[in-house]
Amino acid sequence: MAHILEQTPSSSTGAANLFAAAAAMEDSNGDQADYSSINRATALVSPTEQEYELITSKVRDLMEEGRGETIIELGTGEDTGEVGLTDEELAASVATLQSIADILESDCNLLRSKPCDAGKKSVQYLVRRRADTKDFMEIRVAVVGNVDAGKSTLLGVLTHGELDNGRGFARQKLFRHKHEAESGRTSSVGNDILGFDSTGAVVNQPDHGSLDWVKVCENSSKVITFIDLAGHERYLKTTVFGMTGHAPDFGMLMVGANAGIVGMTKEHLGLALALSVPVFVVVTKIDMCPPNVLQETLKLLVKILKSPGCRKVPVMVKTADDVVLSATNFVSERLCPIFQVSNVTGENMDFLKMFLNLLSTRSPNTDNEPAEFQIDDTYSVPGVGTVVSGTTLRGTIRTNDTLLLGPDPLGHFAPIAVKSIHRKRMPVTEVKSGQTASFSLKKVKRSNIRKGMVMVSTAVEPQCCYEFEGEILVLHHPTTISTKYQAMVHCGSIRQTASIIRMSSECLRTGDKAQVLFRFVKHPEYLKEGQRLVFREGRTKAVGNVNKVLPYTPAVIGKEKAKTAAKVSQQQVRGEGKRRQTDKTSTGAEASLLAPAPATSQAAPQASSLQQPTLA
């Protein structure tokens, strides 16, 4: 120990750097090579100390990737395929996994076991981090479907834990407005939460009919946020905004078994496909529907999902095994699970809850990048001030951070401080990428903020744009679209009319694809390349991507710079003039003639120059 203490600071840091470099090299080379030693099916049976460390780090990495949870399969090797384990080996593997989970402060839950050859079997375990009172994993599910498909009722049953009476009892707790309660139709974007703890049990326990969101979030490892959208055609604008602005991870398409696929069902399915949101289908009201009608509805549903427009693989979920299979392969395999539930009898409701519990987030982990937050809604809260809510697209935002808010109607971004942060009505100190939150802002009026504005880190150096290029596909248009055509563009939380300035083809009809240059009509917006956009007007619908953004530099800044430069130069001239005058004159009477003095001094040389030729 003494020889370490005697080292000079420079040599010790050098040694530390060497060790760090060696470790980094080992990591970079060892990620693949080292994990290969634990890829065999029996790796967890009786691992050595080194293997145990490796397995722990692998599980930790997988959990980081999955935002706090991952599904581990025991009895399958990555290179050898499915081998299966005997009962003794399985017990030893489970014990190892349990000890690793304890180190990572997580819980293990058995999902399914599968028989293999020679009496062996393989099992799948869900490893999920235990509930942290301040942080929870969040997944957003947009609920769409035709009017009267039972969207709000299903959410009432799921979130409040009470079955419906068939007369609109469950949905009464969800409505936000008086006219919604009277007509039974949702007209706004509603938010409801369903919390799961680390063992996969539902946390929601309403007291006296109302749900305490803070209590649910404190006890949950994972919270599913349902974005309840309107089914009526009249509220399509609100529904499109809910699908684009609230950035859902998944879509839940509701179909009433007795009504079938009618009205807006196909519209909403098309919208979800256009925005590439994975969809699962829930067929409701199976208790009151005759069997032959239910079969017809399911047959048509499967036909639509298999059609060239959707290209999905429909899976009827009838057992717990189906749930695990469809949840684990949901995003990657183009699967579309179909659930048949009843809100009155509660039939198959457990399968749906289990499926929601197993859904994993789609957005990559970008907590360390510069922050970016899109604003969905603004409020003015008495005693608090201006509050904005929305989704953190990238990075981490903490209280008292200074961000740039914009663009305003002139295209400027103004610095703004975050006073406090709430997630699901619960005060927190930071919000990470992919999470929704509400911020209380300092010194800004609500009237200065609109939906579609963003709050970004100063490191982003944001630029707004009036014009952008996009590749669009026209889904439906009664006639033809040509230049100067105007329609509403939905892109993220932006909603604004844009006109077409130029197109790659003369005119567009239904089913055509083209490169189009758009220009916003009213004010500039903050756009990024690669964003999805929905272009609509009346019955016209088109979808596409933003390919190129043409940055717009606000002209006012240029003028202001010119003004300040002119002021500075004027001040210098005046100052120098004063200095000259004070050198020449010292009395106050002469100082009062300062203004005309420069004019006479300028006139004098002119006069002398005029006289020079005559002298010559």
Side-chain angles (χ1 to χ4, degrees):
M1 197 64 201
H3 69 278
I4 294 177
L5 294 172
E6 285 161 15
Q7 282 182 343
T8 58
S10 61
S11 67
S12 65
T13 51
N17 290 343
L18 271 171
F19 280 134
M25 275 176 66
E26 199 171 327
D27 279 358
S28 60
N29 299 335
D31 266 6
Q32 290 81 24
D34 283 347
Y35 284 159
S36 65
S37 64
I38 54 164
N39 280 349
R40 63 184 192 280
T42 55
L44 274 81
V45 176
S46 53
T48 62
E49 197 172 330
Q50 191 183 1
E51 284 179 341
Y52 187 81
E53 290 296 319
L54 271 176
I55 295 166
T56 309
S57 71
K58 185 176 182 180
V59 173
R60 188 184 287 118
D61 288 351
L62 286 168
M63 284 179 72
E64 277 300 311
E65 212 174 286
R67 304 277 178 98
E69 67 176 32
T70 184
I71 292 175
I72 304 283
E73 205 158 333
L74 305 178
T76 56
E78 285 183 20
D79 44 1
T80 54
E82 288 190 13
V83 183
L85 299 172
T86 62
D87 289 349
E88 293 85 27
E89 288 174 333
L90 195 59
S93 295
V94 171
T96 309
L97 187 61
Q98 195 72 53
S99 66
I100 290 171
D102 288 340
I103 292 170
L104 300 174
E105 294 183 352
S106 307
D107 281 335
C108 291
N109 309 301
L110 175 65
L111 294 180
R112 64 189 284 255
S113 66
K114 199 162 87 179
C116 297
D117 300 336
K120 296 180 177 182
K121 58 181 176 179
S122 67
V123 291
Q124 279 183 324
Y125 270 86
L126 172 71
V127 182
R128 178 179 290 168
R129 199 169 288 139
R130 292 192 189 112
D132 177 2
T133 50
K134 288 291 172 217
D135 192 26
F136 51 85
M137 179 182 168
E138 182 187 356
I139 285 179
R140 289 181 296 282
V141 177
V143 185
V144 291
N146 192 41
V147 68
D148 302 336
K151 294 185 290 297
S152 300
T153 305
L154 179 71
L155 295 193
V157 172
L158 282 174
T159 56
H160 287 74
E162 289 179 67
L163 294 174
D164 190 41
N165 63 354
R167 294 278 175 274
F169 166 72
R171 68 184 180 196
Q172 290 301 327
K173 303 182 178 79
L174 270 62
F175 289 137
R176 289 169 61 174
H177 302 291
K178 184 168 172 270
H179 68 263
E180 291 183 342
E182 285 167 0
S183 69
R185 284 186 182 157
T186 311
S187 65
S188 58
V189 177
N191 269 318
D192 304 283
I193 61 169
L194 179 62
F196 292 101
D197 61 14
S198 53
T199 59
V202 176
V203 178
N204 292 35
Q205 296 295 334
D207 331 322
H208 310 297
S210 65
L211 200 61
D212 185 358
W213 283 32
V214 176
K215 205 184 283 181
V216 170
C217 293
E218 280 177 353
N219 299 327
S220 299
S221 298
K222 178 177 193 171
V223 170
I224 308 277
T225 305
F226 292 109
I227 305 160
D228 187 12
L229 299 176
H232 203 281
E233 189 167 2
R234 202 169 36 194
Y235 306 122
L236 180 65
K237 174 176 107 170
T238 311
T239 306
V240 173
F241 177 72
M243 287 289 282
T244 55
H246 289 75
D249 294 309
F250 302 101
M252 178 157 89
L253 181 71
M254 309 278 295
V255 178
N258 52 351
I261 298 165
V262 289
M264 301 298 286
T265 311
K266 288 183 187 172
E267 292 271 341
H268 291 166
L269 178 60
L271 185 60
L273 291 168
L275 297 168
S276 55
V277 176
V279 176
F280 60 97
V281 183
V282 178
V283 179
T284 57
K285 309 187 187 181
I286 59 167
D287 56 299
M288 61 173 278
C289 179
N292 59 333
V293 178
L294 178 61
Q295 286 309 314
E296 283 298 315
T297 302
L298 291 174
K299 203 184 284 180
L300 181 58
L301 183 60
V302 168
K303 187 181 167 189
I304 288 174
L305 291 172
K306 282 182 174 174
S307 68
C310 290
R311 295 210 307 279
K312 295 268 184 206
V313 183
V315 177
M316 294 287 175
V317 177
K318 293 201 170 68
T319 62
D321 265 15
D322 293 345
V323 174
V324 177
L325 273 171
S326 53
T328 46
N329 302 319
F330 183 31
V331 180
S332 55
E333 299 291 332
R334 294 209 322 262
L335 281 188
C336 181
I338 300 173
F339 295 87
Q340 301 169 41
V341 301
S342 163
N343 294 322
V344 176
T345 61
E347 194 180 335
N348 294 344
M349 204 57 86
D350 291 339
F351 290 158
L352 184 58
K353 284 182 184 168
M354 186 177 170
F355 179 76
L356 292 167
N357 174 38
L358 295 178
L359 285 179
S360 55
T361 179
R362 284 195 311 141
S363 53
N365 200 336
T366 55
D367 293 348
N368 304 324
E369 294 184 19
E372 208 171 296
F373 178 87
Q374 73 175 19
I375 295 172
D376 294 339
D377 224 333
T378 61
Y379 312 94
S380 189
V381 180
V384 177
T386 308
V387 173
V388 298
S389 71
T391 313
T392 315
L393 300 176
R394 291 189 353 199
T396 306
I397 300 173
R398 297 175 180 83
T399 42
N400 299 323
D401 274 6
T402 302
L403 300 166
L404 295 174
L405 172 73
D408 63 8
L410 296 172
H412 298 158
F413 287 83
I416 197 150
V418 175
K419 198 157 55 176
S420 64
I421 306 177
H422 274 210
R423 283 186 64 199
K424 306 275 170 265
R425 307 176 190 170
M426 181 171 84
V428 293
T429 51
E430 63 172 23
V431 55
K432 297 182 180 139
S433 60
Q435 298 177 342
T436 52
S438 301
F439 296 153
S440 161
L441 303 178
K442 291 178 185 171
K443 296 177 187 155
V444 64
K445 287 184 186 157
R446 185 189 170 193
S447 55
N448 295 346
I449 302 175
R450 58 185 169 77
K451 292 177 186 180
M453 285 172 93
V454 290
M455 286 163 60
V456 290
S457 160
T458 46
V460 175
E461 295 180 358
Q463 280 190 311
C464 61
C465 73
Y466 261 117
E467 296 184 359
F468 65 94
E469 276 183 25
E471 185 179 22
I472 64 164
L473 167 69
V474 182
L475 299 179
H476 176 74
H477 186 63
T479 56
T480 57
I481 297 176
S482 53
T483 50
K484 301 193 181 166
Y485 177 80
Q486 291 191 348
M488 183 72 78
V489 166
H490 292 261
C491 186
S493 57
I494 295 166
R495 272 201 293 205
Q496 205 193 134
T497 306
S499 58
I500 294 175
I501 293 180
R502 90 168 170 260
M503 295 192 299
S504 57
S505 56
E506 282 290 307
C507 59
L508 295 178
R509 294 183 177 83
T510 302
D512 289 358
K513 217 175 198 181
Q515 281 284 114
V516 178
L517 178 68
F518 289 102
R519 181 180 172 83
F520 285 121
V521 169
K522 278 165 77 175
H523 37 240
E525 300 280 10
Y526 176 74
L527 276 178
K528 287 177 71 185
E529 288 171 17
Q531 276 185 297
R532 307 304 293 254
L533 64 93
V534 176
F535 183 68
R536 61 163 205 90
E537 184 238 8
R539 299 199 61 77
T540 302
K541 272 166 223 72
V543 293
N545 296 327
V546 178
N547 286 352
K548 189 177 167 194
V549 174
L550 308 175
Y552 164 71
T553 311
V556 182
I557 292 179
K559 281 183 189 171
E560 277 180 1
K561 275 185 185 168
K563 273 185 190 173
T564 50
K567 270 186 187 175
V568 170
S569 62
Q570 275 179 335
Q571 283 166 354
Q572 285 171 349
V573 172
R574 279 181 194 159
E576 283 164 9
K578 278 179 186 171
R579 227 173 279 138
R580 281 199 212 104
Q581 292 297 338
T582 45
D583 290 344
K584 287 180 189 173
T585 63
S586 53
T587 59
E590 282 171 346
S592 65
L593 298 169
L594 273 176
T600 53
S601 63
Q602 280 171 353
Q606 283 177 347
S608 63
S609 65
L610 284 169
Q611 286 163 3
Q612 270 174 346
T614 55
L615 286 169

